[in-house]
Amino acid sequence: MSKIKITSTNFENKKVLEEECSEVYAANIIGGQWSLVICSWLLQGKMRFSELNKVIPNITERMLTLQLRKLEQDNIITRKVYAEFPPKVEYELTEIGYELRPIIVQMEQWGKRHKYLNSK
Amino acid sequence: MSKIKITSTNFENKKVLEEECSEVYAANIIGGQWSLVICSWLLQGKMRFSELNKVIPNITERMLTLQLRKLEQDNIITRKVYAEFPPKVEYELTEIGYELRPIIVQMEQWGKRHKYLNSK
DNA sequence: GACATAACTTACATTTTTGATAGTACCTTA
DNA sequence: TAAGGTACTATCAAAAATGTAAGTTATGTC
């Protein structure tokens, strides 16, 4: 996360692929280890940092911060800071963020089916 | 790829998440850097190793092999070896593999829309 | 003045993924 | 006998992602 060297072959490969395949472009945006869980929760409405931290098992504050920053950079979520004490920050999906819903729903269904088939 | 330490925190986190979120489970299967491109091509029908190598820009034989092996392990593709010379190996999506189509299509559409919005 | 709280940062370590390069086995054709 | 095609493997190195643990900041409360 965050430190992609723009001189690396890996970066170059991703760039080329993203240009040619929009599905890879999408995957690179929502492909972080915790991105999908975060988005899933946010589909139900905005949440605070601490709430996300609570409902997502095992994520560290560091990783949560990193993923939220990336999602914000990619315009998937917005970040709203309240001038209160103690601090309060709310995260919410953007319009295009909410449009991830059908993808997430389908992935969930597919995942369930795949699990089921593999358990037979 | 391939060498996940089952004692690592990362492994544990993935396991727990996959159990709770089928969409994360799905993402872990199709989330490799090249998996989606491979699947996209295979949606059009079976292909040989060398054909995939040709149409996918910049992928190395090593990475192609690794990804194909993983997809095979996960029952997304089948591998058929012909007893010919020169060697001929064909890869084809399984039934559940073909069922990725709607996901891929939607990710592609979403990706395009996202790109468009971000360019404005 | 010590302590708590929410939302972070920072520095460092480990794990995981990807890349570069060279080599292998097998058979066929020149 | 040598060269060439196909589908790989093996080794080593680099880059990228994730995890651990300890701060930090700003302000209210006891």
Side-chain angles (χ1 to χ4, degrees):
Chain A
M1 187 134 300
S2 64
K3 289 183 203 163
I4 306 177
K5 293 198 183 173
I6 63 170
T7 53
S8 73
T9 306
N10 186 263
F11 176 80
E12 183 62 20
N13 282 343
K14 278 196 172 125
K15 220 181 68 184
V16 172
L17 263 185
E18 283 186 357
E19 271 162 27
E20 307 220 339
C21 309
S22 295
E23 66 271 26
V24 175
Y25 172 82
N28 286 344
I29 289 179
I30 58 173
Q33 167 139 241
W34 309 92
S35 308
L36 275 182
V37 212
I38 295 174
C39 291
S40 291
W41 279 101
L42 291 181
L43 279 177
Q44 301 178 44
K46 56 188 170 191
M47 290 178 81
R48 297 180 62 174
F49 184 88
S50 53
E51 291 175 323
L52 284 167
N53 201 181
K54 226 164 277 168
V55 296
I56 299 178
N58 302 329
I59 197 170
T60 60
E61 296 190 343
R62 184 182 125 79
M63 283 314 295
L64 184 51
T65 306
L66 283 175
Q67 297 277 357
L68 288 170
R69 288 283 180 284
K70 190 179 174 246
L71 289 171
E72 198 193 350
Q73 269 196 346
D74 289 335
N75 291 312
I76 305 303
I77 60 176
T78 54
R79 178 168 180 270
K80 188 172 179 188
V81 183
Y82 292 81
E84 296 178 6
F85 204 85
K88 177 173 169 184
V89 181
E90 279 184 344
Y91 293 92
E92 186 173 15
L93 289 173
T94 58
E95 210 187 315
I96 186 88
Y98 274 113
E99 287 173 21
L100 284 171
R101 173 170 271 133
I103 295 178
I104 293 180
V105 169
Q106 288 209 22
M107 284 181 73
E108 202 196 334
Q109 289 173 353
W110 184 90
K112 273 188 191 154
R113 189 160 141 62
H114 187 274
K115 266 189 211 175
Y116 168 70
L117 288 178
N118 267 32
S119 69
K120 283 204 299 190
Chain B
M1 188 132 301
S2 66
K3 288 184 204 164
I4 308 177
K5 293 198 183 174
I6 62 170
T7 55
S8 73
T9 306
N10 186 263
F11 177 79
E12 183 62 20
N13 282 344
K14 278 197 173 128
K15 220 182 66 183
V16 172
L17 262 187
E18 283 187 355
E19 271 161 28
E20 307 219 340
C21 309
S22 295
E23 68 271 25
V24 175
Y25 171 82
N28 286 344
I29 289 179
I30 58 171
Q33 168 140 244
W34 310 94
S35 308
L36 275 181
V37 212
I38 295 175
C39 291
S40 292
W41 278 101
L42 290 181
L43 279 176
Q44 300 178 44
K46 56 188 169 188
M47 289 178 81
R48 299 180 61 174
F49 184 89
S50 53
E51 290 175 323
L52 284 167
N53 201 183
K54 225 163 281 170
V55 295
I56 299 178
N58 302 330
I59 197 170
T60 60
E61 296 190 341
R62 183 182 127 79
M63 284 313 296
L64 184 51
T65 305
L66 283 174
Q67 299 277 357
L68 289 171
R69 289 282 179 284
K70 188 177 176 247
L71 290 171
E72 196 193 350
Q73 269 196 345
D74 288 335
N75 291 313
I76 306 302
I77 60 174
T78 54
R79 178 168 180 271
K80 189 172 179 190
V81 183
Y82 291 82
E84 297 177 4
F85 205 86
K88 177 175 171 183
V89 180
E90 278 183 345
Y91 294 92
E92 187 174 14
L93 289 173
T94 59
E95 209 186 317
I96 187 86
Y98 274 113
E99 287 174 21
L100 285 171
R101 174 172 272 134
I103 295 177
I104 294 178
V105 169
Q106 288 208 24
M107 284 180 74
E108 201 195 335
Q109 289 173 351
W110 184 90
K112 274 188 192 155
R113 190 160 138 64
H114 187 275
K115 265 189 214 175
Y116 168 70
L117 289 177
N118 268 32
S119 68
K120 282 202 303 189

